[in-house]
Amino acid sequence: MEIDYEKIGLKVGLEIHQQLDTSTKLFCNCEPKLFKEEPEITFLRRLRPTQSELGQIDPAAYFEFQKGLRILYEAERATSCLVEMDEEPPHPLNRQAVEITLTAALLMNAEPVDEIHVMRKAVIDGSNTTGFQRTCVIALHGEVKVGQKTVPILHVSLEEDAARKTGEEEGNIIHYRIDRLGIPLIEVATAPVIKSPTEAKEVALAIGGVLRATGKAKRGLGTIRQDLNISITDGGLVEIKGVQELELLPLVVKYEVQRQLGLVKISEELRARGMGEDIIEKEFFNVTDVFKQTKCRVLCKALEKNQQILALKLPKFRDIIKQELMPGFRLGTEMADRARFWGRVGGIFHTDELPAYGITADEVEKLGEAVEAEDQDAVVFVADNSENAEDALEAVVERAREAIKGVPDETRAPKPDGTTRYMRPRPGAARMYPETDIPPIQITEDDVERISSKLPELPKQKLERLMKEYKLNKKLAGQVLDSKYSLLFETIVKESKVSSTTVAAFLTETLKALKRDRVEIDKISEYQFRKVFGKIGAGELVKEALPDIIDWLSKNENKGVQEAIENLGLKIMSEIELRALIGKVIEENRKLIQEHHEDSFGILMSIVMNKLRGRVNAALVSKILKEKLKVAE
Amino acid sequence: MNEKERLSGYKGEALAAIRKAEVEIGDLIRITRNSEIHEGILIPRSEYGDKKHVIIKLKSGYNIGIRITPNTKIERTGKGTKPTFTQPPSLKQNPKLPKIAIISTGGTIASRVDYRTGAVRPALTASDLYSVVPELTKIAQLDAQILFSLLSENITPKHWTEMAKAVSNHILKGVDGVVIAHGTDTMGYTAAALTFSLQSLPVPVILVGSQRSADRPSSDAATNLIGAVVAAAKVPFAEVSVAMHESTSDSSIILHRGAKVRKCHTSRRDAFKSVNASSLARVQEQRIIMLTEKYRKRDLTRKLDLKPEFNEKVALVKFYPGMNPAIVDWYVKKEYRGIILEGTGLGHVGSFFYEAIRNAVEHNVVVGMTSQCIWGRVGMNVYGQGRDLLALGVIALEDMLPETATVKLMWIFGQTRDVEEAKTLLKTNVAGEISSRTLAEK
C-alpha cells in the first residue's frame, strides 16, 4: 500500500552529527582515534541522577540508578587522559574545531553567536564519564538548499562525542570505551520540514556535502550519525537516534510511519471494543504451577533456576498483540522491548502467538483459567525472579495502556534492517546548565570576516569547477568531490603534470579497488601520494606501477617511495634495454609471427607487458614493437 | 548598583542595556540587532565575564552571549517565574540506627541544579541530605549542622578551634560518630589539627570531601559521604580520619589516619594518600574492612580530652637551591615561635642557611626538620650537613609530614609557652603522627 505522506501530515526533522578531523579532541590534547586492542585501564563508576531545582529527575535514568547500574570504562593511554576519565577539568575549547564549525555554519548562511557558552547536557546512561555531554551553539538560523526547497537550519552546534558501548550488559554492568569520548562533533539540526522518506535522505546528503566541503569531516563508519524526529498528525513524536547509514534513512522513516499508523489503528480498534486505560489492572498471577510439566525449553530453564512465571491479563487485547507494525515487528515486540528494558527479562510470551514454542493448547487453556481470562482477552506472561518479572509486567501494563491512547512519545534505536526498537522514554526539556570550567569564547566580527573571506566552495560549485577546470566527466568529478582526496587531487594535478583523468581515476576507483582487496590505504600519507605522482610526471615511473607501490607502502609504513620502487624492481626500463628485450621476444616467437602476421602484434604486446608491467610505458612498447615487427616481416 | 544588579554579574554596556530595558534575571527577553532577533531567558553573567555581552538561555536550553552595540534593542516579552522548589517531605529518622552528626564547613557535599538558570543550590539540612542521598536514611539518624560556608583555603587555625569545639559538643550530646564535610584543599591540615585537639576520642570523627562537585552525576561526593557516614556509624575505632575514594573507581572508600594523610593530586578522586603509614580501613558495599590492627577502640564511656587552642606563630619553610636565608630572619624578627623546615632529601639545607638557623635557635625559636620528599624518614646522622644542623639545635622530625609537623607545632604552642616542653612534645608521638617503623609500600 502506497502511503500518502502529505495526507497523514508527516513531519521529519534531522539532526546530523559529524565527527571532525581535528588534530586533538575537543577538550583535551588526546588524539581523536579509536583503539581495538584490550584496554590498558579499566575503572568502575556509577552515575547519580542530579535533582534539578524543581525536584525532577529523568525517570529512566533514575530507574537505572536504582537498579544499581554500574559502568565499566575501558581506556588506553594513547587515546585518553584524565580529562576523559573525568579526573581532570576540561581544557579550553579546541579552537580548530570552533573554526571548522564556523566555516560549516557560514556555508549554511547561519548567524554565528557573539559569545560561545559551553553547556552540560545531562546524560546518565554511562556514555559520558561526567554524566553530561559538553555542547555549545556556534550559530543559529541557517539554511540549506535541497533541490528547489530551502530547509531551515535551527542551529549548528559543536559537542563532544560520547564513549562507545562495547559488549552487552552483564549483571548490571555496562561496558563503555572512552576513546571516542571527546572527539569533536558538529551537530546540524533542521526544522521539522521534511515531508517524505526520500527527502530525509536528500537533506542529509546535502548537509553532509556541506560538512565535507570544510575538508575536515572525518570519514568511515560511525563518523556521521543521524537522529530523526518523526511525527504524523494523529501519531506521537518519536526520536530515532544514531542512524549511521544514509541509505537507511528513507526506510527508517517509512517503517516508523507504518508503525505509527498501525498503532493508531490499534488504538481505534481497542476503543471500538470499549477499552479504557483503567480497565487494565496491575494484577499479576503466579502461574508457575500451570507450566510444571511444560515442554517449553525457555520455561523449563527458568523453572530449573527456581524462577517464577507471572501472568497478566490484558482485557480485549486478543489478536491485537500479534498485529504487525513493521516487518517482523508486532505490538508484542514493542511490549517485549519494554519488558526487557524495565524488567531486564529475556522476553515475554503472549497468547496471540500460542500454542507454540513447546507450549501446548492445554497449557494455554489452563493459563486462561488461572487468570480468569475471557474469550476476547489476551494473556502475557514472563519467567524470571519475582522482582524482574513484576517490573517486566508493569512495563507491559504501561505499554498496553499507551496502546489505547495511541502512539507514545519515545526514543528509539535503529536496527540494521531499518526497523527500530524501544530505547527509553523521551527525555523532557533538555536539561542543560553551564559548564563553568570553560570560559566563554567571543566570536568577533573580525573572526567572521576572516573565515567568510576564505570559505571553501559548496559541493555544487566545486563539481562544476572540477568538470571545467580539469576536464573530468560528471561521474569522475562527482567521485573526486565525494572522496577525501579532493584537495589532494588538485595539488597532484598541479604539481605533477600527470593527466587529471589518470589522477582522478586513481584516487577514486583504483583506491577503492585496493581497499576492497584489504590494502590499508589510510596508512599512505598525502606526501607519499604526491611523491609517487611526481615520479610518474617526471617519467621515472609508469602509472601501471601504482597499485603495487601503494600496496607495498601500506605494508612498510616507515619506508619511502624510492625504497618501494627499488624493492619492487619497478625502476623504469631504459629504451635501449626495452629494445633489446623486445628483439629477444620477437626472436623467440618467430614461428608465431610467421603464422599470424599482423595479428601477432596483440599477442606479443601482452607477452612483453606481462614481463614488464609497471616498468615500462605501454605506448612506448607498442611503438617499438610495431617498428621491429615491420623489420621482421 | 543595587543588590539585584550586583548579583546579576553584569557591568558596563551590558548592565546599562539591561537597566534601560528594565529587565531582570529570569525574565523572558527579545534582543534585536539589525535583522537578528534572539529570544530567551536572561541569565546571570559570571563575575569574570566582559562588559559587552548579555547571556540568554534559548528555548533549546543552550546559553548564548549577545554583544551589546548601540543599535541593539532589548525588550521584555515575559516576566520571569521564580523557581518553585517544593521541599521534599521530611523523611522519618529510624531511631534504631546510630546517631551521626554531620558538620558542614563549606564546599557542597550535596546539591541540586536549577536547570532554568544554571544555579547550583547546596543541600544543607538533614532532610535535604536525605532527599539528595536517600541511601543515608538506611544508615544513620543524622543531625546536620552548618558551622561555616568556607572554601577550604580560607580556613585558618581559628576555624580548627571552632571545629574541635563543635565536635566536642556533639560528642557530649551522645552521638555515635561525627562526619565533617570539608573542602579538599586543606582537609589534610584540618585532619591533623583535629587529631591533636581531640584526644581520647570515644567515637570516630570522619572528614569527607569531594574532588568533583556534587552537581555532577559523576560526582564522588555522594559515594564519599555515604562511605563517611557508614564509617562514622560502624568502624570499631575512635580516631580522626579522612574518607575519600581509594582509586578512580567508585567501588571503595578508604580511611586515612588524620595525622598521616596528604592531598597528593590536584584533581583525581583518589588524591588523598596515607603517607608513611597504612590506611586505617576500607568501606566497600557499606561494609568495613580493617587494614590495621593497631587503633584506639571506640568506647562511648571514654571522656574526650578537648585541647582546641592553636598558635599561628609557626611557619613552614620549604628550602630550595639558592634560597635567601633572610626569610628565616624575618620570621625571627616577627616573633615566630617555631619554624618547620621542609629540607631536601634526608633533611638538609645549604650551609649558607646555618647562620640564620643559629640565630633563630638563639632567639628561642623551635626549628624542626622534615623532608620535601614527602615519603620516608629524615636521617640527619648520615651526612655531615645533617649532623651540623642537629648541632645547631634543629630537631629531626622522623617520618612526620611537613604539614602535620607545622600543625602540630601550632597546637603545641597553643598548649604551652615553654620552649623546652614544646621541643619534647614535638619529638614525642602524641597522636600517631610519628611511626617508629617505615614499612615497604603495599
Side-chain angles (χ1 to χ4, degrees):
Chain A
M1 179 194 67
E2 267 310 301
I3 301 170
D4 184 344
Y5 292 103
E6 189 82 47
K7 203 169 138 205
I8 59 163
L10 173 65
K11 279 190 199 161
V12 180
L14 274 179
E15 260 181 35
I16 312 271
H17 301 89
Q18 165 73 61
Q19 283 183 355
L20 297 183
D21 196 10
T22 47
S23 47
T24 61
K25 288 188 180 178
L26 195 53
F27 296 110
C28 66
N29 287 311
C30 288
E31 199 183 344
K33 229 172 96 176
L34 307 184
F35 73 94
K36 294 186 197 112
E37 299 76 22
E38 286 296 300
E40 289 172 348
I41 306 165
T42 59
F43 53 101
L44 200 63
R45 293 271 173 80
R46 294 196 71 182
L47 290 174
R48 176 176 291 263
T50 42
Q51 298 193 352
S52 79
E53 189 71 356
L54 307 167
Q56 295 163 331
I57 27 183
D58 182 351
Y62 190 64
F63 174 82
E64 298 261 333
F65 175 74
Q66 273 188 323
K67 285 267 171 186
L69 185 78
R70 275 151 217 268
I71 309 126
L72 187 79
Y73 290 106
E74 304 173 342
E76 150 209 83
R77 287 182 180 84
T79 54
S80 311
C81 66
L82 289 187
V83 172
E84 291 96 326
M85 290 172 73
D86 188 38
E87 286 282 41
E88 180 176 305
H91 303 192
L93 191 57
N94 178 333
R95 273 279 176 177
Q96 188 196 8
V98 172
E99 301 246 326
I100 299 166
T101 311
L102 275 173
T103 306
L106 291 171
L107 283 174
M108 290 183 277
N109 277 327
E111 297 162 4
V113 301
D114 298 331
E115 193 175 62
I116 303 166
H117 285 255
V118 179
M119 306 295 288
R120 300 169 170 175
K121 190 197 268 178
V123 181
I124 68 159
D125 61 1
S127 58
N128 288 72
T129 47
T130 48
F132 48 74
Q133 181 189 32
R134 298 188 180 100
T135 172
C136 52
V137 165
I138 302 288
L140 296 159
H141 313 140
E143 57 186 42
V144 280
K145 284 254 189 289
V146 182
Q148 296 305 307
K149 190 164 164 174
T150 302
V151 177
I153 299 297
L154 300 177
H155 64 242
V156 181
S157 309
L158 178 59
E159 54 192 34
E160 56 182 354
D161 203 346
R164 60 196 173 103
K165 226 177 191 168
T166 46
E168 283 307 301
E169 185 173 334
E170 33 184 316
N172 281 0
I173 293 185
I174 40 175
H175 294 241
Y176 275 99
R177 209 161 255 220
I178 60 172
D179 48 4
R180 198 178 70 181
L181 180 60
I183 294 181
L185 273 185
I186 260 188
E187 181 193 281
V188 179
T190 76
V193 296
I194 296 164
K195 299 276 168 69
S196 78
T198 43
E199 202 187 2
K201 184 181 155 187
E202 287 159 11
V203 173
L205 259 174
I207 294 173
V210 173
L211 296 179
R212 277 204 301 277
T214 63
K216 283 291 177 186
K218 261 195 194 275
R219 291 168 181 264
L221 190 68
T223 56
I224 186 159
R225 303 195 291 273
Q226 278 98 186
D227 293 355
L228 301 115
N229 50 70
I230 303 174
S231 67
I232 59 173
T233 308
D234 297 317
L237 183 56
V238 170
E239 187 183 20
I240 296 169
K241 276 191 103 70
V243 181
Q244 299 201 2
E245 276 144 281
L246 213 58
E247 301 305 318
L248 215 53
L249 283 177
L251 208 56
V252 170
V253 176
K254 187 179 141 198
Y255 285 152
E256 178 54 25
V257 168
Q258 274 180 21
R259 196 185 68 94
Q260 294 203 16
L261 288 173
L263 286 172
V264 171
K265 223 174 83 193
I266 284 177
S267 150
E268 283 163 2
E269 165 86 30
L270 284 169
R271 281 187 229 185
R273 291 187 188 181
M275 273 303 285
E277 285 169 56
D278 46 346
I279 299 178
I280 305 172
E281 278 177 69
K282 263 189 201 169
E283 190 186 352
F284 308 142
F285 300 84
N286 190 328
V287 294
T288 316
D289 284 348
V290 173
F291 296 98
K292 255 192 174 145
Q293 311 293 329
T294 191
K295 294 275 186 295
C296 169
R297 267 205 236 144
V298 177
L299 292 180
C300 279
K301 253 192 201 157
L303 292 176
E304 272 166 33
K305 281 193 264 178
N306 260 334
Q307 292 180 328
Q308 299 181 355
I309 303 173
L310 286 194
L312 158 77
K313 179 168 73 175
L314 291 178
K316 305 185 201 235
F317 265 72
R318 186 173 172 166
D319 294 338
I320 295 273
I321 305 180
K322 70 173 177 195
Q323 280 190 25
E324 193 174 74
L325 301 167
M326 294 185 279
F329 185 98
R330 297 147 208 286
L331 181 59
T333 327
E334 201 125 302
M335 289 174 166
D337 279 351
R338 291 284 185 98
R340 269 185 220 114
F341 179 81
W342 296 95
R344 289 162 198 281
V345 297
I348 58 169
F349 290 95
H350 58 82
T351 46
D352 272 7
E353 54 177 2
L354 299 177
Y357 312 117
I359 295 170
T360 62
D362 183 44
E363 282 168 334
V364 174
E365 201 185 317
K366 279 198 188 133
L367 172 72
E369 281 164 23
V371 303
E372 293 166 19
E374 286 174 35
D375 216 29
Q376 262 207 326
D377 302 346
V379 184
V380 174
F381 59 100
V382 61
D384 209 302
N385 66 48
S386 55
E387 192 195 339
N388 284 356
E390 274 175 36
D391 285 344
L393 289 187
E394 264 187 49
V396 173
V397 169
E398 202 53 46
R399 185 64 192 86
R401 284 178 181 165
E402 286 169 0
I404 301 164
K405 270 195 276 186
V407 185
D409 291 352
E410 62 192 22
T411 302
R412 304 181 64 85
K415 293 198 279 193
D417 65 354
T419 62
T420 55
R421 66 176 169 78
Y422 174 78
M423 212 169 143
R424 54 178 146 87
R426 236 180 96 79
R431 292 153 12 97
M432 284 204 239
Y433 65 111
E435 169 53 274
T436 41
D437 296 342
I438 297 163
I441 292 180
Q442 280 94 38
I443 303 176
T444 63
E445 281 165 23
D446 288 349
D447 291 332
V448 176
E449 228 164 81
R450 177 172 50 80
I451 295 168
S452 300
S453 68
K454 49 165 199 191
L455 279 185
E457 292 163 297
L458 279 171
K460 201 171 159 248
Q461 300 162 350
K462 186 159 182 180
L463 184 78
E464 282 161 10
R465 189 173 60 80
L466 286 175
M467 290 168 66
K468 212 173 126 205
E469 203 173 316
Y470 297 99
K471 313 256 179 305
L472 297 180
N473 64 36
K474 193 169 180 184
K475 188 181 163 222
L476 205 48
Q479 284 175 344
V480 169
L481 182 69
D482 283 342
S483 104
K484 71 169 172 181
Y485 299 114
S486 67
L487 285 176
L488 183 66
F489 163 75
E490 297 192 55
T491 315
I492 290 178
V493 173
K494 281 180 188 141
E495 272 178 1
S496 71
K497 312 271 185 279
V498 177
S499 105
S500 55
T501 313
T502 303
V503 180
F506 171 77
L507 288 175
T508 57
E509 285 157 9
T510 312
L511 286 188
K512 209 186 231 171
L514 285 171
K515 216 167 182 174
R516 245 194 329 264
D517 293 340
R518 303 197 184 283
V519 177
E520 289 178 82
I521 304 299
D522 295 335
K523 291 195 170 155
I524 316 290
S525 69
E526 298 209 341
Y527 175 77
Q528 287 176 318
F529 281 127
R530 284 166 51 196
K531 188 108 185 183
V532 175
F533 276 101
K535 293 214 178 272
I536 294 173
E540 294 170 34
L541 196 67
V542 293
K543 65 178 190 198
E544 286 78 8
L546 275 168
D548 288 340
I549 289 191
I550 297 304
D551 182 40
W552 192 89
L553 285 173
S554 76
K555 287 173 186 145
N556 296 279
E557 248 184 287
N558 297 315
K559 300 274 165 63
V561 173
Q562 193 55 43
E563 283 168 281
I565 293 171
E566 279 160 20
N567 270 282
L568 291 168
L570 289 175
K571 217 167 154 210
I572 214 158
M573 198 174 227
S574 71
E575 200 173 322
I576 298 172
E577 285 176 280
L578 181 60
R579 281 183 182 281
L581 188 117
I582 291 175
K584 204 173 149 219
V585 168
I586 289 175
E587 210 49 53
E588 284 167 4
N589 293 284
R590 276 267 171 230
K591 209 172 143 202
L592 187 130
I593 297 166
Q594 278 158 10
E595 281 168 20
H596 294 270
H597 305 284
E598 288 93 81
D599 297 345
S600 60
F601 171 78
I603 303 167
L604 292 175
M605 183 76 194
S606 79
I607 291 173
V608 176
M609 285 312 286
N610 270 339
K611 280 190 185 196
L612 297 176
R613 180 162 299 280
R615 295 187 57 199
V616 288
N617 183 323
L620 184 65
V621 174
S622 154
K623 189 182 134 218
I624 297 171
L625 188 59
K626 273 182 189 154
E627 279 173 26
K628 293 222 171 206
L629 278 178
K630 235 179 224 160
V631 178
E633 281 276 315
Chain B
M1 201 190 286
N2 63 34
E3 182 64 9
K4 229 180 216 167
E5 286 177 350
R6 195 182 60 75
L7 288 176
S8 78
Y10 284 103
K11 293 170 285 194
E13 295 103 296
L15 179 63
I18 290 170
R19 259 191 201 152
K20 198 174 144 213
E22 294 178 350
V23 292
E24 288 177 16
I25 301 300
D27 282 350
L28 197 61
I29 61 171
R30 178 187 297 132
I31 304 183
T32 319
R33 185 179 65 201
N34 306 331
S35 61
E36 284 177 50
I37 301 171
H38 296 289
E39 279 187 326
I41 296 168
L42 182 66
I43 297 292
R45 183 110 175 114
S46 137
E47 52 202 295
Y48 308 110
D50 69 9
K51 297 171 184 168
K52 291 185 190 135
H53 293 81
V54 166
I55 312 172
I56 58 168
K57 181 182 265 304
L58 304 173
K59 209 175 145 206
S60 59
Y62 282 101
N63 289 4
I64 60 167
I66 298 161
R67 196 174 302 122
I68 299 299
T69 62
N71 53 359
T72 305
K73 203 176 95 194
I74 301 181
E75 53 197 320
R76 185 164 69 200
T77 51
K79 190 78 194 124
T81 43
K82 281 258 158 358
T84 49
F85 176 65
T86 34
Q87 196 64 35
S90 48
L91 293 157
K92 270 234 169 80
Q93 306 253 23
N94 179 350
K96 284 181 191 149
L97 293 173
K99 287 196 193 102
I100 303 298
I102 297 188
I103 300 172
S104 174
T105 66
T108 49
I109 41 167
S111 58
R112 355 181 117 75
V113 181
D114 175 1
Y115 287 107
R116 207 181 54 89
T117 61
V120 175
R121 199 178 111 127
L124 294 168
T125 64
S127 65
D128 252 7
L129 282 179
Y130 277 154
S131 91
V132 177
V133 190
E135 293 95 323
L136 294 175
T137 53
K138 293 191 180 122
I139 304 167
Q141 308 177 62
L142 299 184
D143 179 0
Q145 178 196 358
I146 305 159
L147 187 59
F148 328 113
S149 292
L150 288 173
L151 296 171
S152 80
E153 54 276 27
N154 289 335
I155 281 177
T156 68
K158 290 185 187 66
H159 299 110
W160 299 338
T161 306
E162 299 257 326
M163 277 187 241
K165 287 180 179 167
V167 172
S168 166
N169 286 339
H170 282 287
I171 290 176
L172 288 177
K173 277 196 273 177
V175 292
D176 297 294
V178 179
V179 171
I180 301 176
H182 200 289
T184 55
D185 275 9
T186 65
M187 184 157 68
Y189 293 84
T190 300
L194 294 179
T195 304
F196 295 115
S197 53
L198 297 168
Q199 298 202 357
S200 178
L201 269 173
V203 297
V205 174
I206 317 284
L207 285 113
V208 66
S210 69
Q211 288 282 82
R212 292 283 93 71
S213 61
D215 55 277
R216 312 163 165 242
S218 63
S219 171
D220 52 336
T223 332
N224 289 345
L225 181 63
I226 294 165
V229 173
V230 167
K234 294 184 185 170
V235 289
F237 56 82
E239 296 194 21
V240 175
S241 69
V242 166
M244 290 290 285
H245 266 54
E246 183 174 14
S247 71
T248 190
S249 290
D250 284 332
S251 343
S252 60
I253 300 303
I254 192 98
L255 295 166
H256 306 279
R257 275 207 157 98
K260 285 292 196 190
V261 63
R262 191 175 187 279
K263 188 178 186 181
C264 293
H265 197 279
T266 57
S267 58
R268 281 180 65 120
R269 286 164 173 78
D270 55 358
F272 283 83
K273 299 288 175 204
S274 284
V275 178
N276 299 329
S278 146
S279 305
L280 270 164
R282 173 183 295 131
V283 185
Q284 212 163 17
E285 307 277 334
Q286 303 202 4
R287 279 195 332 267
I288 308 293
I289 301 157
M290 286 307 296
L291 300 172
T292 175
E293 285 157 11
K294 289 182 190 158
Y295 53 84
R296 188 195 309 118
K297 286 206 170 61
R298 188 194 269 271
D299 179 0
L300 281 173
T301 62
R302 190 184 296 129
K303 204 174 161 299
L304 172 73
D305 188 4
L306 175 68
K307 295 178 170 172
E309 306 305 332
F310 292 87
N311 184 329
E312 296 187 14
K313 289 273 184 193
V314 171
L316 174 58
V317 175
K318 181 169 186 157
F319 175 80
Y320 56 88
M323 186 180 189
N324 187 342
I327 190 77
V328 173
D329 299 336
W330 185 85
Y331 281 123
V332 174
K333 215 167 86 195
K334 289 284 171 187
E335 296 177 331
Y336 268 62
R337 312 292 311 273
I339 293 173
I340 299 297
L341 291 170
E342 210 178 277
T344 56
L346 287 164
H348 305 133
V349 293
S351 42
F352 54 90
F353 236 67
Y354 288 3
E355 199 41 50
I357 290 174
R358 180 177 298 123
N359 178 52
V361 173
E362 275 169 10
H363 282 81
N364 275 333
V365 177
V366 175
V367 182
M369 178 63 79
T370 59
S371 173
Q372 54 192 245
C373 296
I374 312 297
W375 269 269
R377 185 183 303 272
V378 293
M380 301 182 64
N381 292 310
V382 180
Y383 296 101
Q385 209 85 340
R387 292 190 287 268
D388 290 347
L389 288 167
L390 288 176
L392 287 174
V394 173
I395 304 164
L397 297 181
E398 302 286 336
D399 68 336
M400 228 193 298
L401 276 165
E403 296 86 354
T404 298
T406 310
V407 171
K408 183 180 179 184
L409 198 49
M410 286 182 179
W411 173 78
I412 288 172
F413 282 120
Q415 316 306 308
T416 181
R417 302 182 61 83
D418 186 306
V419 172
E420 287 315 309
E421 194 190 340
K423 284 181 183 168
T424 313
L425 266 175
L426 187 59
K427 280 188 278 192
T428 315
N429 180 24
V430 175
E433 72 278 17
I434 298 171
S435 26
S436 52
R437 301 172 67 219
T438 320
L439 302 179
E441 299 273 326
K442 269 181 193 156

